[in-house]
Amino acid sequence: MKELICITCPKGCHLKVDEQTFAVTGNACPRGAAYGANELRNPVRVVTSTVVVTGSEIRRLPVKTDRPIPKGKMFAVMEEIARVRVTGPVRVGDVLIANVAGTEGNVVATKNLP
Amino acid sequence: MFDYELIVIGAGPAGLAAALAAHEKGVRRILILERDNQAGGILNQCIHNGFGLHFFKEELTGPEYAGRFVAMLAGTTIEVRTDTMVLELEQNRTVHTVSPLRGYERITAGAVVLAMGCRERTRGAISIPGARCSGIFTAGAAQRFMNIEGYMVGKRVVILGSGDIGLIMARRMTLEGAKVLACVELMPYSGGLNRNIVQCLHDFDIPLYLSHTVTDVVGKDRLERVVVSKVDENRRPIPGTEMVFDCDTLLLSVGLLPENELSRQAGVQIDPRTNGPVVWENCETSIPGVFACGNVLHVHDLVDYVTAESQRAGRAAADFIQGRLPQGQEIRLENGSGVGYTVPQHFHRDTDKLEIFFRVRAIYHNAAIRVMDGDTQLARFRREHMAPGEMENITLPKVLLDRAQHDTLRVEIEEAAQ
């Protein structure tokens, strides 16, 4: 049994999830069951960070993955982000790394850079 | 004739939303004053996601949320002056400013919206004992160093306080290669949102020590280690429970305080419970024509709620400028058992509906919020879960308000029967 705190709503139910059957107990609603099962099968997260800006007084540009990526790939994504250098202009949503770390997600800008 | 119809102090999410709401109601000569070099306020350094779920119905990062409001300024007559510090606000709504471009100026306004936000409590504010070495930062200062300036602030980190900024920084520093050894919380519960405990601590196996605090700080030039002790129910350290963490960085996430230096100086009445102005239901302070919204009024958990409140303040400022004043006698709101404060603190009887925001003093399960008119229960709202870290709100419709017999209503928590 894996114990989790549900993050679907502020109530924060303490879930117990069976590692074989993905059956969830301790949830007060169906959304908790779905979260608990998914969290064990394939936990995903959006990664946010910054990239280095060159040739500007602005030093860093904030970025994110444009979809949740597998939790286990977070550090691989960070390594690719650390290698990026950008110069303006960049618009919100511009792709800076496509298919980052083989996740099919892209790293996109979250702020305009003049 | 005033220089501007409306002056908004602060171009963070509160100031931007207030200015845009006033503009929508027909106010045209609007000036926003911002001391940073860009609009957006604290959202610029909050690069993580989770903003906008209520307002935009999607999950945005802080810069994206701010960017949407900055984009809405295009095509309006709202003027934003950055690098501009407000030195003083007078009761007659004259604002004194200084900036590198324009020097010292006095600007008059028909109405003023206070949207200065809040500041972090510091080491001095909570009296942490020990050496005065470098390596001790408030979590927000570290966030700015990392996300805006591009400096990594340390490699081995202890975080004191489990407020959301501390939790967010635990994840941020871990992803950037630091080792976060522990998050230490004085209270028996976390002050942060549950989702942040999971995504920022559990995801990276960072231990959370509840009912613990930092009891010593050791280091000559740079921080070398901190001592953490368990505390008893009166929050006093228990001798013999000391743990030593070798670390070069201590981040403090120990609470936020509304930044009301200007308000106090102007004579705005401050509520000692919120550390923000006492306001009416339309966010008007004790000085007519001066409104307050966002974290300067009371500290919020979600920017979406800041936006909603600031739109109310902006619309009310427009009403004031256009001569539509609230009607009806004053009814005060009092906090009863379990309630730490209410915003607003008082309201006009003839208001359309009344939204009340407040925080509870403890964690409650299956409890209820009651609004009492003397001994009569005016309204009752059931809640499965309430915690001090999560702002509550209730709405009283006009039909209920019309029934009030007294000039004070009391908001209180009814605990579940054991």
Side-chain angles (χ1 to χ4, degrees):
Chain A
M1 280 297 203
K2 173 87 180 163
E3 293 190 20
L4 298 172
I5 294 177
C6 182
I7 59 173
T8 314
C9 85
K11 195 176 172 191
C13 290
H14 289 257
L15 309 178
K16 283 188 179 168
V17 189
D18 188 301
E19 277 114 329
Q20 267 83 53
T21 64
F22 302 110
V24 179
T25 53
N27 56 307
C29 75
R31 289 181 303 166
Y35 169 81
N38 214 27
E39 191 63 12
L40 252 66
R41 280 202 198 98
N42 178 31
V44 291
R45 300 287 186 266
V46 169
V47 173
T48 66
S49 188
T50 59
V51 297
V52 174
V53 176
T54 53
S56 168
E57 278 184 9
I58 297 165
R59 292 160 173 272
R60 293 292 182 275
L61 180 70
V63 299
K64 69 174 184 184
T65 57
D66 62 0
R67 71 201 71 177
I69 56 110
K71 209 169 108 176
K73 294 268 185 143
M74 283 196 287
F75 284 95
V77 168
M78 285 299 290
E79 270 173 39
E80 288 200 23
I81 289 173
R83 287 197 290 269
V84 173
R85 301 288 179 274
V86 295
T87 48
V90 177
R91 302 289 303 171
V92 172
D94 282 1
V95 174
L96 303 177
I97 309 172
N99 186 21
V100 62
T103 60
E104 294 180 7
N106 305 308
V107 171
V108 299
T110 56
K111 193 174 164 119
N112 293 329
L113 177 66
Chain B
M1 183 72 176
F2 297 109
D3 297 325
Y4 286 86
E5 288 172 283
L6 174 62
I7 289 180
V8 177
I9 305 177
L16 293 172
L20 284 161
H23 188 271
E24 234 168 66
K25 287 201 77 168
V27 180
R28 286 295 168 262
R29 290 181 300 120
I30 302 177
L31 174 64
I32 309 182
L33 300 169
E34 169 57 49
R35 71 176 169 188
D36 204 349
N37 59 8
Q38 59 180 336
I42 202 69
L43 288 174
N44 287 316
Q45 69 182 58
C46 297
I47 62 163
H48 53 281
N49 68 327
F51 301 90
L53 275 172
H54 294 266
F55 192 75
F56 290 111
K57 310 290 175 210
E58 58 182 307
E59 215 166 315
L60 301 172
T61 66
E64 289 172 311
Y65 192 97
R68 294 211 179 175
F69 279 88
V70 170
M72 285 182 227
L73 294 175
T76 71
T77 52
I78 300 168
E79 186 186 332
V80 183
R81 266 183 217 165
T82 54
D83 288 312
T84 302
M85 182 82 183
V86 174
L87 301 171
E88 190 187 342
L89 165 68
E90 290 182 58
Q91 294 226 346
N92 65 5
R93 303 186 300 273
T94 300
V95 179
H96 300 241
T97 66
V98 68
S99 67
L101 201 65
R102 308 172 66 101
Y104 169 75
E105 279 183 297
R106 279 167 49 167
I107 319 169
T108 59
V112 170
V113 172
L114 306 173
M116 294 89 79
C118 60
R119 299 289 166 269
E120 290 175 286
R121 289 174 81 195
T122 60
R123 178 179 180 184
I126 57 165
S127 307
I128 301 174
R132 277 149 177 76
C133 43
S134 70
I136 304 172
F137 305 86
T138 60
Q143 191 180 44
R144 184 178 173 102
F145 273 127
M146 289 189 67
N147 296 347
I148 308 260
E149 313 291 344
Y151 291 108
M152 183 74 176
V153 298
K155 294 191 177 114
R156 289 176 63 83
V157 187
V158 169
I159 297 175
L160 175 60
S162 60
D164 287 312
I165 313 171
L167 300 175
I168 293 290
M169 283 308 290
R171 172 176 62 183
R172 179 81 185 112
M173 293 203 68
T174 305
L175 284 173
E176 290 288 4
K179 174 75 184 164
V180 179
L181 303 164
C183 180
V184 178
E185 170 62 53
L186 178 68
M187 303 302 284
Y189 51 83
S190 163
L193 300 172
N194 254 324
R195 53 178 287 144
N196 285 337
I197 305 262
V198 173
Q199 294 182 30
C200 301
L201 298 184
H202 294 185
D203 270 9
F204 303 100
D205 299 317
I206 299 167
L208 171 62
Y209 294 98
L210 298 172
S211 297
H212 280 72
T213 194
V214 171
T215 46
D216 200 11
V217 169
V218 184
K220 194 165 176 293
D221 299 314
R222 178 79 188 196
L223 178 64
E224 290 162 26
R225 59 186 174 273
V226 299
V227 179
V228 170
S229 305
K230 195 171 171 34
V231 298
D232 63 20
E233 59 274 19
N234 297 315
R235 296 181 227 159
R236 278 191 297 257
I238 303 170
T241 61
E242 293 84 0
M243 294 183 282
V244 177
F245 292 96
D246 290 323
C247 57
D248 57 21
T249 304
L250 175 64
L251 298 188
L252 305 178
S253 178
V254 292
L256 300 167
L257 292 171
E259 170 76 357
N260 277 290
E261 212 177 323
L262 285 173
S263 332
R264 281 199 176 88
Q265 195 184 47
V268 169
Q269 190 192 347
I270 301 292
D271 183 338
R273 300 170 304 174
T274 55
N275 288 302
V278 170
V279 289
W280 296 90
E281 77 282 5
N282 63 352
C283 296
E284 192 170 17
T285 68
S286 61
I287 300 181
V290 176
F291 300 79
C293 55
N295 283 348
V296 81
L297 178 54
H298 56 141
V299 175
H300 295 63
D301 321 316
L302 296 180
V303 70
D304 301 72
Y305 296 156
V306 168
T307 298
E309 179 177 277
S310 305
Q311 289 176 324
R312 276 204 307 281
R315 285 193 290 266
D319 284 340
F320 180 87
I321 292 161
Q322 293 157 356
R324 289 184 302 273
L325 300 182
Q327 300 296 317
Q329 69 172 101
E330 174 188 10
I331 300 185
R332 287 190 303 276
L333 285 172
E334 188 178 83
N335 45 306
S337 69
V339 175
Y341 72 79
T342 67
V343 167
Q345 288 84 352
H346 53 177
F347 64 97
H348 297 91
R349 199 190 171 93
D350 295 353
T351 186
D352 259 358
K353 61 172 183 181
L354 179 65
E355 269 187 279
I356 306 172
F357 297 83
F358 61 96
R359 281 180 196 276
V360 293
R361 289 181 185 278
I363 291 179
Y364 294 97
H365 293 287
N366 295 318
I369 303 160
R370 284 202 303 211
V371 181
M372 302 297 292
D373 176 26
D375 293 332
T376 313
Q377 178 179 296
L378 205 61
R380 186 170 181 277
F381 304 83
R382 287 205 50 215
R383 288 287 188 276
E384 281 186 31
H385 174 90
M386 289 188 283
E390 291 152 17
M391 191 193 291
E392 285 295 331
N393 80 80
I394 54 175
T395 303
L396 300 179
K398 188 161 174 53
V399 286
L400 278 184
L401 295 175
D402 283 344
R403 283 187 214 155
Q405 301 291 316
H406 297 75
D407 58 7
T408 301
L409 299 182
R410 190 171 70 253
V411 182
E412 62 185 28
I413 305 304
E414 174 196 319
E415 289 191 61
Q418 293 301 312

